[in-house]
C-alpha cells in the first residue's frame, strides 16, 4: 500500500489513507526512494514494524528550513517486496496489449486529454531512477486533469515498440487528438527535470508537434521539419513494401528446395504414410502400434530424403543426436539465401547494415524466448558459444560466498561439474546428490531422511546480514542414459529460499530441448543452458543462457569487454556495464551471422509440429529400439543387451528421453568391448557414441564404480575411447559363484536389483571383476527413422549373437 504522509524533521503525520505511524522513533525510518523534485536531504533511515503491518518510509528535510513540511511516500514492507515498476500502480494505466494501447489513444482523444506514455524496461536502471519523479507528476491534480498517464513495458510489446520506432529508454511520448503523435522526449535522470515544463508547453497547444532540443526542452516543429518528416515516412512505407515483396520471393525460392534438395533421388518406397502398403511386416506392426506418434503424419520418409538423404548413403544411419542434431538442407539453403540477400554489419555500429543486424538479433532473441514460453519481460536471452559457455558464465558470476552451497545431480554433464571450481574458489561447498535425495530434500520430510546433510536442511544463511546464495543444478535430460528429471524441482528449489538464504535453479537443457518441450512459464528456472546445434544441427558454436531478468543484477561480473560496457576509461579503473542485461553479459561481438541462421532452424522445428511432435516421434523409436534390444537372446537363452535408464518405467515417456544406452553382452555373460563395437559399427555405417559420454556421474553410477576407483586411473586414461577400457575392481559375490569369475552380467543385475547379498557372512565373498568404463549410446532425433533403428537391431543380432569377447 502507498500512502501520503507529511514529514517534518521531528514528526511524522499521516495525511490521507495511511496506516498509523504514531510513535515511530526517528531512527526507525528508512530511505526508500528520493522524491526527486524536492531539494531535501534524507536525514534518517530505518525500518519499523508497527502493530498491524511493517511500514517503511522515507523522511527528508526540505529546502533550507529544517522544519518545512514535505510530502513523501511511505510504503509498507509488503509493497517493498513488489518490483519497482509495480509500485504506485494506481497512478498509472498499464498497457496490457497492443489493442489496449490503441484504445488508450482513442480514450484520450474522447476525453480531450493528452496521452502520456512512459516506455520502460524492468532492467533499465535509468527507468527505475526516474520512476518516483514520474509518479509525482502522475498524482498531481493539475496535470491529471489534462493528461492520461500510462506506462508500457517495452519487452512485452516488442512489435509495437518497433512499429512506433522507439530507440531509447527511458522515454515518454505524448499523443494528442485522434492519436496524433505530438512529441517524444527523453526521461533520463538529467532530462526528466524538464518534463513538467515540457508538459505545460504541450498542454498550451496540443494542435502541433514538438521536437526535443539538445537541452531536453520541447520546441514546436517548423513547417519545413514537418514536410521532411512526411517525406521520410512515405519513403519508409515504400521500403517496407519492397522488403515484403523480396521476402515473398525468397520464401518461394526456399520452398522449391533451391537446387540441392531437388537433386536428391527419391526413395523407392515412401511407406510411412500407409502401413498397409508397407512391405516389411515389422514396419507394418510398428506403424500400427505407434500410429500418429511416428513420422509427422507420414512425412518422415520424404522429409528425410529431402533434408538429409543426399548426405548419407542408403546404408548409413546417424544415431548421435545428443552429440549434434543433423542439420537440414533447407535450413542451410534458407540461411545462406538470407545472408546473400543483404549486408549484415557488426551490430555494435550504427550504420544501416549494423542496425539491420541488430534488429534481426533482437527479433531472434524474442523468438527463442517464445519457443520456451518465456515472458520477455521476465527472461533474457544471452548468446554464448554453447551450453558449456553458458554454464561457465553462471559459475563465474554467481554471487558465491563461503556459506554458499553448490548442490548438483550426480548425472550432470562434465560442464556442470566444472562449475564447482568457481564455488570452491569462493570457499563454498559442493555436494553431488541423486534423484531420491533431491525429492526428499525438496518435497519430503527432511527429519526422516538420514541422507540429508544437516547444514543443507537448515539454510546456512539464517541470521546473516547479506543473504547467502546457493545453486542447485540438474539436467532436463541426462546425456548418458537419457533420463528426464522432474522440472517440478524448479518450484521446490524456489520454495527453499528464505530471507537469508536464496536458492537458485540451474537447468542444463542442452540434451533436453531437441526433442522435449520446455515451458519456462510453467517451470521458471533461474538459469537455462542450451546449444543450438543440439536442437537443429546448424549453426555450431552458438548457444544461449536464458536467465531470469531479476537475476542479472545479482551476477558478479569481473571481466568486461567491447560491447558489454557503456562507459570506460583507459588510465583509471573505471567502467560502467551496459544497462541491457543481454548486452552486459555478452563480451565482444556475438556471432551475428550464425544468430541470423537460427531463425531457419526454429522454422524447421515448427514445420514438424514443434517439440511435442518431435517428442512423440523420437519416443516411438526409442521404445521400439529398447524392446528389440532387450528381447535379443543368444542361443543359450542369455540376453544380448543390457539397457540403462528408465525405459521400463510405467510412465516412461515422462521420465525417459530419446537415448538408448546399453552394454552388449557375450553368450558367456561378459560385457563386450565398447571400443570394438564403436569401430565395427562405424564400418557398418552406424554413427553412434561410446565411452562415458562426458557424464562420469551417470556412467559410473550405472556401472557401479566408486569415485575412488576411478581416481586411481589418473595419468593413465586420456579420453573416452582410449585403450583403458576396463577397471578391475573387487566386488561382493554369491557364495555359489565362488570358483568362477563373477560375470559382468551378474554385476549389472546386482546393481539393477540391489540384490548383492551384503552382510551375509559365509554366503558372501569378494571377487575381482572387470567393469567397463563406458557403454554404447544411441541417441535418436527429429530425422531418425524406423529403418535406422531396425538396421541397428539387425546388425547387432547378426554380428554378436552367440559370440564372446574372445571372438574379436
Ligand atoms: C547435458 C549436456 N550439457 C552440456 C553439454 C555441453 O554442450 P556444448 O559442448 O555444446 O557446450 C552437453 C553436450 O553434449 C550435454 O549433453
Amino acid at each position: 500500500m502507498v500512502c501520503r504522509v507529511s514529514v517534518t524533521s521531528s514528526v511524522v503525520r499521516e495525511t490521507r489513507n495511511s496506516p498509523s505511524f504514531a510513535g515511530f522513533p526517528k531512527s526507525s525510518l528508512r530511505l526508500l526512494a528520493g522524491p526527486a523534485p524536492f531539494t531535501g536531504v534524507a536525514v534518517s533511515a530505518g525500518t519499523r514494524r508497527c502493530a498491524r503491518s511493517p511500514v517503511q518510509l522515507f523522511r527528508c528535510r526540505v529546502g533550507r528550513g529544517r522544519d518545512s513540511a514535505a510530502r513523501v511516500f511511505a510504503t509498507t514492507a509488503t509493497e517493498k517486496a513488489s518490483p519497482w515498476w509495480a509500485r504506485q500502480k494506481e497512478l498509472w494505466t498499464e498497457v496490457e496489449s497492443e489493442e489496449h494501447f490503441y484504445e488508450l489513444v482513442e480514450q484520450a482523444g474522447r476525453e480531450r486529454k493528452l496521452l502520456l506514455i512512459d516506455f520502460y524496461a524492468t532492467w533499465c536502471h535509468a527507468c527505475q531512477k526516474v520512476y518516483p519523479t514520474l509518479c509525482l507528476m502522475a498524482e498531481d491534480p493539475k496535470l491529471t486533469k489534462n493528461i492520461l498517464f500510462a506506462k508500457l513495458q517495452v519487452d512485452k510489446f516488442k512489435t509495437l515498440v518497433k512499429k512506433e520506432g522507439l530507440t531509447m529508454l527511458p522515454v515518454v511520448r505524448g499523443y494528442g487528438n485522434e492519436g496524433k503523435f505530438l512529441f517524444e522526449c527523453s526521461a533520463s535522470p538529467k532530462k526528466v527535470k524538464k518534463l513538467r515544463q515540457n508538459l505545460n508547453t504541450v498542454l498550451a497547444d496540443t494542435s502541433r508537434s514538438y521536437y526535443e532540443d539538445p537541452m531536453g526542452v520541447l520546441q514546436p516543429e517548423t513547417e519545413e521539419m514537418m514536410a521532411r518528416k512526411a517525406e521520410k515516412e512515405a519513403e519508409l512505407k515504400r521500403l517496407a513494401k519492397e522488403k515484403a515483396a523480396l521476402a515473398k520471393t525468397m520464401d518461394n525460392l526456399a520452398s522449391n528446395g533451391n537446387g540441392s534438395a531437388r537433386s536428391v533421388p527419391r526413395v523407392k518406397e515412401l511407406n510411412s504414410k500407409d502401413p498397409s502398403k508397407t512391405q516389411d511386416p515389422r514396419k507394418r506392426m510398428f506403424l500400427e502400434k505407434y500410429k500418429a506418434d511416428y513420422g509427422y503424419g507420414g512425412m518422415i520418409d520424404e522429409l528425410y530424403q529431402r533434408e538429409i538423404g543426399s548426405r548419407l548413403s542408403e546404408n548409413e544411419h546417424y544415431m548421435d543426436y545428443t552429440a549434434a542434431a543433423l542439420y537440414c538442407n533447407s535450413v542451410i539453403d534458407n540461411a545462406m539465401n538470407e545472408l546473400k540477400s543483404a549486408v549484415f554489419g557488426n551490430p555494435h555500429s550504427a550504420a544501416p547494415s549494423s542496425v539491420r543486424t541488430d534488429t534481426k538479433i533482437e527479433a531472434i532473441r524474442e523468438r527463442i524466448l517464445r519457443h520456451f514460453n518465456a515472458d520477455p519481460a521476465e527472461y533474457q536471452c544471452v548468446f554464448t558459444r554453447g551450453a558449456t559457455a553458458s554454464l561457465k558464465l553462471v559459475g563465474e558470476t554467481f554471487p558465491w560466498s563461503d556459506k554458499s552451497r553448490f548442490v548438483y545431480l550426480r548425472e550432470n554433464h562434465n560442464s556442470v561439474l566444472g562449475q564447482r571450481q568457481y564455488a570452491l574458489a569462493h570457499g563454498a561447498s559442493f555436494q553431488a546428490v541423486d534423484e531420491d535425495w533431491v525429492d526428499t530434500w525438496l518435497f519430503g520430510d527432511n527429519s526422516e531422511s538420514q541422507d540429508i546433510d544437516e547444514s543443507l536442511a537448515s539454510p546456512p544463511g539464517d541470521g546473516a546480514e547479506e543473504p547467502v546464495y546457493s545453486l542447485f543444478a540438474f539436467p532436463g535430460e541426462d546425456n548418458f542414459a537419457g533420463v528426464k528429471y522432474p522440472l517440478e524441482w524448479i518450484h521446490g528449489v524456489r520454495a527453499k529460499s528464505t530471507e537469508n538464504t536464496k536458492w537458485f535453479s540451474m537447468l542444463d537443457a542442452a540434451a533436453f530441448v531437441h526433442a522435449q518441450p520446455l515451458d519456462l512459464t510453467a517451470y521458471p528456472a533461474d538459469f537455462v543452458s542450451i546449444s543450438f546445434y543440439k536442437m537443429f544441427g546448424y549453426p555450431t558454436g552458438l548457444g544461449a543462457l536464458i536467465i531470469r531478468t531479476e537475476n542479472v543484477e545479482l551476477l558478479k561480473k569481473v571481466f568486461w569487454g567491447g560491447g558489454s560496457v557503456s562507459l570506460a576509461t583507459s588510465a583509471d579503473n573505471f567502467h560502467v556495464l551496459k544497462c541491457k542485461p543481454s548486452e552486459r553479459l555478452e563480451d565482444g561481438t556475438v556471432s551475428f551471422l550464425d544468430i541470423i541462421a537460427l531463425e531457419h532452424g526454429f522454422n524447421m522445428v515448427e514445420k514438424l509440429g514443434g517439440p511435442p511432435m518431435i517428442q512423440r516421434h523420437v519416443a516411438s523409436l526409442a521404445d521400439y529400439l529398447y524392446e528389440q534390444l532387450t528381447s535379443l537372446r543368444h542361443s543359450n537363452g542369455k540376453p544380448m543387451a543390457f539397457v540403462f535408464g528408465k525405459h521400463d518405467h510405467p510412465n516412461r515417456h515422462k521420465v525417459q528421453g530419446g537415448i538408448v544406452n546399453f552394454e552388449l553382452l557375450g553368450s558367456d555373460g561378459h560385457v563386450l568391448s565398447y571400443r570394438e563395437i564403436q569401430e565395427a559399427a562405424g564400418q557398418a555405417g552406424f554413427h553412434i557414441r561410446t565411452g562415458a559420454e562426458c557424464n562420469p556421474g551417470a556412467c559410473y553410477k550405472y556401472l557401479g564404480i566408486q569415485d575412488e576407483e576411478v581416481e586411481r586411473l589418473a595419468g593413465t586414461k586420456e579420453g573416452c575411447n582410449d585403450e583403458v577400457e576396463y577397471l578391475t575392481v573387487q566386488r561382493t559375490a554369491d557364495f555359489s559363484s565362488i570358483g568362477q569369475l563373477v560375470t559382468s552380467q551378474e554385476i549389472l543385475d546386482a546393481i539393477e536389483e540391489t540384490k548383492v547379498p551384503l552382510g551375509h557372512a559365509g554366503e558372501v565373498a569378494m571377487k575381482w571383476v572387470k567393469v567397463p568404463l563406458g557403454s554404447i549410446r544411441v541417441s535418436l532425433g527429429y530425422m531418425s527413422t524406423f529403418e535406422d533403428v531396425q538396421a541397428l537391431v539387425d546388425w547387432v543380432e547378426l554380428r554378436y549373437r552367440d559370440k564372446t569377447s574372445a571372438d574379436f
Side-chain angles (χ1 to χ4, degrees):
M1 179 179 63
V2 176
C3 51
R4 233 185 274 156
V5 294
S6 58
V7 175
T8 68
S9 62
S10 55
V11 186
V12 179
R13 268 201 320 271
E14 57 194 278
T15 55
R16 189 182 74 174
N17 194 21
S18 153
S20 175
F21 297 130
F24 267 54
K26 262 204 279 185
S27 60
S28 73
L29 305 178
R30 169 160 149 196
L31 178 67
L32 265 192
F38 298 125
T39 49
V41 201
V43 291
S44 63
T47 310
R48 179 76 182 165
R49 277 181 185 272
C50 74
R52 264 174 300 149
S53 62
V55 177
Q56 292 175 312
L57 50 92
F58 169 72
R59 181 166 179 277
C60 69
R61 203 165 64 209
V62 180
R64 288 193 199 95
R66 258 178 166 269
D67 288 333
S68 43
R71 284 186 307 128
V72 294
F73 291 103
T75 318
T76 62
T78 25
E79 167 109 4
K80 192 191 163 238
S82 63
W84 65 265
W85 61 91
R87 293 186 199 151
Q88 293 179 258
K89 54 181 177 216
E90 71 283 1
L91 301 176
W92 299 89
T93 303
E94 183 80 43
V95 175
E96 281 159 9
S97 61
E98 200 163 317
E99 296 75 58
H100 187 212
F101 172 80
Y102 293 113
E103 274 164 30
L104 284 176
V105 170
E106 234 175 68
Q107 183 191 338
R110 256 196 332 271
E111 294 174 8
R112 304 203 153 278
K113 281 186 170 179
L114 171 72
L115 171 66
L116 184 90
I117 303 212
D118 166 28
F119 291 84
Y120 72 99
T122 56
W123 41 264
C124 166
H125 298 158
C127 303
Q128 179 175 6
K129 207 161 175 182
V130 299
Y131 186 59
T133 310
L134 295 175
C135 285
L136 282 174
M137 284 183 217
E139 65 147 15
D140 184 339
K142 274 196 232 128
L143 292 176
T144 52
K145 155 168 112 199
N146 295 311
I147 301 176
L148 181 59
F149 282 88
K151 58 193 176 78
L152 184 149
Q153 203 179 113
V154 293
D155 284 327
K156 281 193 175 165
F157 305 106
K158 290 201 171 157
T159 322
L160 174 68
V161 164
K162 204 163 136 193
K163 231 188 306 181
E164 287 290 300
L166 202 83
T167 54
M168 62 177 165
L169 280 181
V171 71
V172 292
R173 285 184 160 208
Y175 299 83
N177 215 358
E178 290 179 358
K180 183 177 171 203
F181 173 72
L182 297 185
F183 70 89
E184 169 183 282
C185 62
S186 162
S188 68
K190 210 165 160 196
K191 292 194 174 158
V192 78
K193 292 176 195 145
K194 301 273 169 42
L195 187 58
R196 189 175 287 266
Q197 172 195 336
N198 283 337
L199 290 178
N200 287 334
T201 307
V202 176
L203 286 174
D205 182 359
T206 53
S207 66
R208 57 192 316 166
S209 309
Y210 297 80
Y211 73 96
E212 188 184 16
D213 73 12
M215 306 305 291
V217 177
L218 287 184
Q219 306 288 353
E221 279 184 349
T222 60
E223 297 288 322
E224 196 191 331
M225 282 166 111
M226 286 191 317
R228 263 209 317 264
K229 210 158 107 186
E231 231 173 70
K232 204 169 154 193
E233 266 165 24
E235 177 69 4
L236 280 174
K237 266 192 198 148
R238 192 184 59 74
L239 283 174
K241 226 166 144 184
E242 273 181 16
K243 197 176 154 201
L246 181 69
K248 207 166 165 197
T249 317
M250 273 174 53
D251 267 2
N252 288 344
L253 269 177
S255 57
N256 285 342
N258 205 29
S260 63
R262 250 183 281 152
S263 66
V264 169
R266 295 270 152 192
V267 273
K268 283 174 231 122
E269 190 200 23
L270 296 179
N271 48 25
S272 292
K273 279 184 188 160
D274 184 354
S276 64
K277 298 214 177 100
T278 301
Q279 304 288 314
D280 183 346
R282 298 175 303 182
K283 183 162 183 181
R284 210 176 311 133
M285 277 167 67
F286 170 83
L287 291 177
E288 272 156 14
K289 180 168 177 192
Y290 291 101
K291 299 191 172 73
D293 285 348
Y294 175 75
Y296 316 108
M299 287 301 295
I300 182 63
D301 295 328
E302 274 173 44
L303 259 176
Y304 178 84
Q305 285 307 313
R306 197 169 61 226
E307 300 291 356
I308 314 287
S310 60
R311 286 176 281 130
L312 289 174
S313 77
E314 247 183 70
N315 297 326
E316 267 184 289
H317 303 278
Y318 186 86
M319 306 173 106
D320 200 9
Y321 278 84
T322 303
L326 278 182
Y327 53 85
C328 293
N329 287 336
S330 69
V331 170
I332 304 291
D333 290 343
N334 294 345
M336 292 309 133
N337 281 337
E338 178 161 19
L339 296 187
K340 283 192 253 170
S341 74
V343 170
F344 292 96
N346 185 316
H348 290 161
S349 306
S353 51
S354 306
V355 174
R356 178 181 295 123
T357 309
D358 191 50
T359 312
K360 201 79 221 194
I361 291 178
E362 292 314 307
I364 292 165
R365 281 191 216 275
E366 211 181 317
R367 173 96 189 250
I368 294 166
L369 292 180
R370 219 178 329 124
H371 184 83
F372 297 117
N373 196 23
D375 182 342
E378 286 181 15
Y379 277 95
Q380 300 291 322
C381 171
V382 178
F383 288 113
T384 64
R385 291 202 60 247
T388 301
S390 306
L391 291 158
K392 182 165 180 263
L393 182 59
V394 175
E396 209 167 58
T397 56
F398 192 78
W400 304 108
S401 72
D402 56 359
K403 294 200 182 82
S404 301
R405 294 192 169 268
F406 177 41
V407 178
Y408 53 87
L409 195 77
R410 198 178 294 281
E411 289 86 347
N412 270 302
H413 189 271
N414 268 334
S415 298
V416 174
L417 306 189
Q419 288 184 309
R420 72 181 175 222
Q421 303 314 126
Y422 288 107
L424 285 172
H426 289 84
S429 54
F430 70 89
Q431 189 173 353
V433 295
D434 59 32
E435 207 179 334
D436 288 345
W437 188 99
V438 183
D439 276 335
T440 314
W441 175 51
L442 296 178
F443 306 119
D445 175 2
N446 290 349
S447 59
E448 284 176 14
S449 168
Q450 294 172 356
D451 288 335
I452 299 288
D453 176 338
E454 273 307 307
S455 50
L456 274 171
S458 53
D462 282 347
E465 275 292 299
E466 284 294 311
V468 170
Y469 298 103
S470 289
L471 187 65
F472 170 68
F474 74 104
E477 172 177 335
D478 78 60
N479 64 309
F480 182 83
V483 172
K484 296 192 279 182
Y485 299 92
L487 294 176
E488 288 76 17
W489 285 351
I490 291 164
H491 293 291
V493 170
R494 294 204 129 205
K496 274 280 155 196
S497 283
T498 64
E499 206 179 322
N500 300 309
T501 305
K502 305 284 177 213
W503 277 97
F504 293 84
S505 52
M506 167 90 246
L507 176 70
D508 177 16
F512 182 73
V513 287
H514 170 70
Q516 314 294 335
L518 173 61
D519 181 340
L520 289 175
T521 299
Y523 300 106
D526 288 297
F527 307 101
V528 182
S529 51
I530 52 174
S531 283
F532 292 109
Y533 71 93
K534 288 191 192 289
M535 291 183 77
F536 30 72
Y538 179 83
T540 54
L542 183 65
L545 171 66
I546 300 177
I547 174 173
R548 286 191 71 78
T549 308
E550 67 202 8
N551 295 341
V552 176
E553 276 292 299
L554 291 174
L555 299 183
K556 305 253 188 284
K557 198 158 182 286
V558 177
F559 180 81
W560 48 274
S564 55
V565 283
S566 54
L567 212 55
T569 54
S570 168
D572 287 339
N573 182 14
F574 170 83
H575 74 277
V576 182
L577 284 178
K578 277 198 174 156
C579 194
K580 200 161 175 230
S582 48
E583 287 181 342
R584 63 159 59 189
L585 292 171
E586 287 165 356
D587 293 309
T589 305
V590 289
S591 190
F592 54 95
L593 297 186
D594 289 327
I595 293 174
I596 291 167
L598 286 179
E599 185 171 15
H600 305 286
F602 279 105
N603 286 348
M604 172 52 73
V605 169
E606 258 164 47
K607 221 155 88 181
L608 297 178
M613 280 306 286
I614 299 176
Q615 180 183 36
R616 288 169 63 186
H617 174 77
V618 169
S620 67
L621 290 171
D623 274 5
Y624 183 72
L625 179 56
Y626 170 73
E627 278 169 17
Q628 294 296 306
L629 280 178
T630 48
S631 57
L632 291 178
R633 290 282 179 277
H634 293 286
S635 306
N636 61 10
K638 291 201 170 201
M640 291 180 65
F642 185 92
V643 181
F644 302 116
K646 294 195 176 183
H647 295 270
D648 56 355
H649 190 281
N651 198 1
R652 63 189 184 286
H653 291 164
K654 189 165 171 15
V655 296
Q656 178 66 53
I659 294 177
V660 182
N661 192 321
F662 57 96
E663 301 285 7
L664 285 184
L665 307 168
S667 54
D668 57 359
H670 282 289
V671 176
L672 299 178
S673 158
Y674 60 80
R675 288 182 69 220
E676 190 279 333
I677 294 162
Q678 170 84 74
E679 206 183 317
Q683 283 166 9
F686 295 100
H687 301 250
I688 56 170
R689 169 112 189 233
T690 61
E693 286 99 34
C694 284
N695 195 324
C699 178
Y700 302 145
K701 184 189 93 169
Y702 282 113
L703 293 169
I705 307 171
Q706 308 298 315
D707 283 4
E708 312 82 76
E709 292 166 343
V710 177
E711 287 158 21
R712 289 206 300 267
L713 294 174
T716 57
K717 192 156 172 65
E718 278 302 309
C720 268
N721 273 302
D722 66 7
E723 65 282 4
V724 186
E725 201 187 339
Y726 294 96
L727 191 64
T728 307
V729 291
Q730 263 198 318
R731 291 288 180 267
T732 52
D734 267 10
F735 183 75
S736 56
S737 58
I738 281 193
Q740 315 142 32
L741 201 64
V742 177
T743 66
S744 306
Q745 176 61 47
E746 282 166 338
I747 290 291
L748 292 169
D749 283 341
I751 294 160
E752 177 71 1
E753 296 162 29
T754 39
K755 67 179 184 198
V756 177
L758 283 169
H760 288 268
E763 278 193 333
V764 178
M766 299 301 281
K767 303 288 294 183
W768 285 101
V769 282
K770 251 171 68 175
V771 183
L773 287 163
S775 60
I776 303 147
R777 183 183 77 185
V778 170
S779 51
L780 303 162
Y782 61 175
M783 292 289 155
S784 295
T785 62
F786 171 84
E787 285 71 16
D788 293 329
V789 168
Q790 191 60 60
L792 182 76
V793 175
D794 291 347
W795 176 77
V796 165
E797 185 167 24
L798 194 70
R799 181 173 170 87
Y800 294 104
R801 191 154 187 261
D802 293 339
K803 298 283 181 355
T804 68
S805 40
D807 294 313
F808 301 103

